[in-house]
Amino acid sequence: MAGVIDTSEFRKGMKIEIDGEPFEIVEFQHVKPGKGSAFVRTSIRSLLTGRVLQPTLKSGEKVAKPDIEEKDMQFLYEQGGDFYFMDTRNYEQTFISAEVLGESKNFLKESINASILFYNGKAIGVTLPNSVDLKVTKCDPGVRGDTVSGALKPATLETGYTVNVPLFINEGDVLKIDTRDGKYLTRVATAG
């Protein structure tokens, strides 16, 4: 246990430990009823499983501060379902499984920098930049005259991820993709 945090210090996004498991505070609300003692209604998300709990804590109650470390690392390569990253400060390498990465694996390309979250020395999560530039490797050509506003077609990106894009996108184009929801943002460069 690295320390304790009082409920009065709660902030959105803060990491806490309850029953030996690390959580991130999603929401919290200090409640002071007319009768009885004050309490804090919280919504917390597990950093290990992703499940959301809504415990009620007494005001002034103390919770543990988890042994969490965040490191800036660079993605190197993928091998057999494991994704290898290198610490940009000391060049140490570590791997993260595809299940820990979740949807983030769809946006990883060589040399991309990411923030890796470690709990007790074990990698438990990845935070990518809000957007990444990826090349379209497979896409049906847009048909001239197909100009229905807002029409979309599927395009496969260099990482193997498929995203819906406007009809004017072609193979070889480089697109900016939002890593938080996996949606197309804009075209960065055209093929050729």
Side-chain angles (χ1 to χ4, degrees):
M1 192 185 319
V4 292
I5 301 169
D6 190 284
T7 55
S8 63
E9 300 171 41
F10 278 10
R11 300 287 172 265
K12 195 172 180 178
M14 181 181 269
K15 316 287 193 278
I16 61 173
E17 187 173 309
I18 296 177
D19 299 330
E21 188 175 346
F23 289 91
E24 179 178 25
I25 297 173
V26 180
E27 273 182 68
F28 69 97
Q29 179 184 17
H30 291 280
V31 180
K32 191 167 193 270
K35 189 175 173 184
S37 60
F39 59 91
V40 181
R41 197 176 286 138
T42 58
S43 181
I44 55 177
R45 184 176 48 83
S46 169
L47 294 173
L48 299 177
T49 62
R51 69 189 170 127
V52 177
L53 301 177
Q54 296 182 324
T56 300
L57 305 168
K58 290 183 201 135
S59 191
E61 194 174 325
K62 296 189 183 330
V63 293
K65 193 176 198 176
D67 178 20
I68 282 186
E69 183 183 8
E70 212 162 337
K71 293 183 183 177
D72 287 325
M73 301 188 91
Q74 185 180 62
F75 175 64
L76 298 174
Y77 60 93
E78 183 258 336
Q79 182 178 7
D82 290 330
F83 294 77
Y84 289 81
F85 289 83
M86 176 183 68
D87 192 321
T88 53
R89 287 190 311 274
N90 60 16
Y91 305 109
E92 278 182 26
Q93 288 188 24
T94 188
F95 71 89
I96 301 173
S97 68
E99 51 190 52
V100 169
L101 279 174
E103 291 297 309
S104 298
K105 71 179 181 285
N106 297 323
F107 312 109
L108 285 174
K109 69 177 190 177
E110 283 183 25
S111 301
I112 193 171
N113 287 326
S115 182
I116 312 291
L117 197 63
F118 288 87
Y119 174 63
N120 291 337
K122 183 177 181 253
I124 60 168
V126 177
T127 305
L128 295 175
N130 288 342
S131 64
V132 291
D133 296 346
L134 296 171
K135 190 174 186 176
V136 176
T137 55
K138 187 172 168 240
C139 177
D140 295 330
V143 180
R144 194 171 179 90
D146 251 356
T147 53
V148 177
S149 71
L152 300 172
K153 65 181 180 180
T156 305
L157 305 174
E158 61 186 291
T159 59
Y161 181 67
T162 303
V163 63
N164 286 322
V165 297
L167 298 174
F168 60 83
I169 300 296
N170 298 309
E171 272 184 36
D173 288 355
V174 178
L175 310 178
K176 189 175 285 292
I177 305 296
D178 190 327
T179 59
R180 295 164 294 191
D181 61 10
K183 291 197 166 88
Y184 160 86
L185 293 173
T186 186
R187 180 167 60 180
V188 178
T190 57

